[in-house]
Amino acid sequence: MKKIGVLTGGGDCPGLNAVIRAVVRKSIQYDWEIIGIKNGWKGLINGEMELLTDYSVSGILPKGGTIIGTSRTNPFKNEGDVKKIVKNIEKFGIDAIVAIGGDDTLGVASKLNKMGIPVVGVPKTIDNDLSYTDYTFGFDTAVSIVTEAIDRLHTTAESHHRVMILEVMGRHAGWIATMSGIAGGADEILIPEVPFDMGEVCKYLTERHARGKKFSIVVVAEGAMPKKEDLTAAQTTQGDNTAHASGESTLITKTDTIDEFGHVQLGGIGNFLAKEIERRMNVETRFTSLGHVQRGGTPTAHDRVLATRFGVAAVELIKNGDFGKMVALQGNKIVPVNIEDAVAERKTVDMELYNIAKVFFGR
Ligand code: F6P
């Protein structure tokens, strides 16, 4: 009999519970015991665990969030934490770990695996920016939520003849903005991969207004940035802050909060855009930030299925002793890939897809 530890790390995401349920149910088939490690790597450092049974995962499939909690803990950041992890793995008799997370959590998983700790990974992030997998679970749900928001913004924008700015998540990659922008028929989609030109954005929106469309919808990913010249102009006109010690330069941040993986808390680019468009075009603008609404609530059917497939496949990796691997979706197949490769480089928006979106910006 094996004892498997499962943990969820980083930002939560619809479908986490579906993975946990699948891991538990498949493991029970093999007569293995499953330990839920609480709050990501933090639980392994502090020895906070709970036994997961058939009963404890009953009814969690459609539930958002994660029943075992999450945190952004980097054990390689604080001296002694890795030693505590090694000790706890021994103390609790854990034979293998299923780490469900994005690039930060899986980056830790990869390092631990290199030290000889048997770990397998499951790719999670609403941002969909993990390499070697076509999709991560949670992304489809986020896109559905944003698309619905765009639909709702359309009717109020049209009634008031306004430009509506919708800021969505996407720190390094604009997958959510691009997909939901296409699905919702946005008039501009601004993403981190392509620094935008304020003049061009306003020119296109002005032309659209001149053609009789007296309203517009702009979707902007939180990590999108204007070109350098516009950034300087923004500082002059709006007096906003810019670069951060972490080097993760952002135009406008709410605070200087930096997490253990060196990420700055983003948010504010939409507000900047709204002010700048209003000033340059002399039209009424409004700004909406969807924030964590995108991460909350029940997963779509697509994400439930993907999460379930990932969970079952992760247990199969353990069964086969295939450690250091992450389950990935390639085409319609779930395949094992090296965690190390998956976290080495971010999967940014496919420019072929962005070019399809651009057909509808008219520029
Ligand atoms: O899960 C990734 C992400 O969605 C990023 O796009 C976003 O910047 C971040 O989470 C914010 O998460 P939190 O507020 O939990 O730190």
Side-chain angles (χ1 to χ4, degrees):
M1 183 172 172
K2 271 190 196 296
K3 207 186 240 186
I4 309 299
V6 60
L7 64 85
T8 51
D12 72 331
C13 165
L16 283 169
N17 284 327
V19 182
I20 295 167
R21 171 179 171 268
V23 168
V24 171
R25 297 287 281 270
K26 186 67 196 168
S27 298
I28 288 172
Q29 271 191 2
Y30 289 135
D31 220 9
W32 295 348
E33 200 170 89
I34 298 291
I35 304 289
I37 300 164
K38 298 250 190 109
N39 306 318
W41 298 116
K42 196 196 260 178
L44 204 51
I45 295 167
N46 299 336
E48 290 163 351
M49 324 265 172
E50 68 174 272
L51 185 69
L52 293 177
T53 62
D54 209 356
Y55 180 75
S56 45
V57 297
S58 165
I60 67 169
L61 174 65
K63 227 180 140 198
T66 159
I67 59 161
I68 49 178
T70 186
S71 70
R72 294 186 190 277
T73 305
N74 183 357
F76 290 92
K77 177 96 181 157
N78 301 304
E79 224 179 292
D81 281 354
V82 173
K83 272 192 194 144
K84 286 183 191 163
I85 284 184
V86 174
K87 245 187 168 170
N88 278 328
I89 288 175
E90 212 181 280
K91 181 175 159 194
F92 290 90
I94 296 171
D95 296 305
I97 295 169
V98 179
I100 312 168
D103 53 356
D104 293 330
T105 303
L106 295 180
V108 171
S110 174
K111 283 188 194 166
L112 292 176
N113 187 71
K114 277 198 190 136
M115 291 170 48
I117 296 171
V119 188
V120 300
V122 176
K124 166 246 58 159
T125 165
I126 63 162
D127 293 349
N128 197 39
D129 59 359
L130 264 167
S131 294
Y132 287 87
T133 184
D134 294 348
Y135 292 103
T136 50
F137 68 88
F139 172 62
D140 184 66
T141 308
V143 169
S144 304
I145 292 166
V146 176
T147 303
E148 195 199 327
I150 297 173
D151 290 347
R152 289 177 185 279
L153 287 175
H154 260 110
T155 59
T156 171
E158 191 166 8
S159 306
H160 286 270
H161 321 293
R162 284 172 173 158
V163 175
M164 305 298 261
I165 316 293
L166 178 62
E167 183 181 300
V168 301
M169 283 190 175
R171 176 171 290 272
H172 304 286
W175 285 104
I176 296 177
T178 305
M179 290 284 258
S180 60
I182 293 172
D187 305 302
E188 266 293 350
I189 300 171
L190 306 173
I191 59 174
E193 291 87 339
V194 186
F196 61 86
D197 182 317
M198 247 353 283
E200 264 183 31
V201 170
C202 290
K203 184 169 170 270
Y204 168 63
L205 294 178
T206 305
E207 282 167 10
R208 187 179 136 82
H209 281 215
R211 284 200 308 272
K213 289 281 188 189
K214 301 291 183 204
F215 70 96
S216 294
I217 308 286
V218 178
V219 179
V220 58
E222 60 183 354
M225 290 280 282
K227 283 184 175 160
K228 266 221 171 85
E229 313 80 77
D230 289 331
L231 188 60
T232 321
Q235 284 166 302
T236 319
T237 57
Q238 297 189 18
D240 293 306
N241 57 338
T242 47
H244 282 264
S246 67
E248 208 174 46
S249 165
T250 62
L251 175 59
I252 301 156
T253 59
K254 285 183 203 134
T255 67
D256 282 337
T257 308
I258 298 178
D259 71 17
E260 289 192 6
F261 291 94
H263 305 307
V264 169
Q265 186 185 343
L266 295 182
I269 188 68
N271 194 31
F272 157 74
L273 266 170
K275 284 188 201 162
E276 207 52 21
I277 290 172
E278 191 158 282
R279 188 179 72 81
R280 291 183 185 223
M281 288 176 58
N282 198 25
V283 289
E284 251 194 311
T285 63
R286 290 291 186 269
F287 152 64
T288 304
S289 174
L290 276 187
H292 297 78
V293 170
Q294 293 159 93
R295 286 211 321 234
T298 189
T300 57
H302 176 277
D303 277 337
R304 292 180 200 189
V305 174
L306 183 59
T308 300
R309 292 175 75 194
F310 277 161
V312 170
V315 174
E316 290 299 356
L317 286 183
I318 294 176
K319 179 86 177 153
N320 298 331
D322 221 354
F323 298 112
K325 296 283 168 63
M326 176 188 95
V327 291
L329 180 73
Q330 291 183 359
N332 198 26
K333 291 266 175 278
I334 306 288
V335 296
V337 299
N338 290 324
I339 302 181
E340 195 181 3
D341 295 338
V343 298
E345 210 184 326
R346 266 189 200 99
K347 187 183 68 188
T348 51
V349 168
D350 178 353
M351 283 303 129
E352 253 181 54
L353 183 72
Y354 192 62
N355 285 336
I356 289 171
K358 272 168 72 178
V359 169
F360 304 91
F361 311 166
R363 64 178 174 83

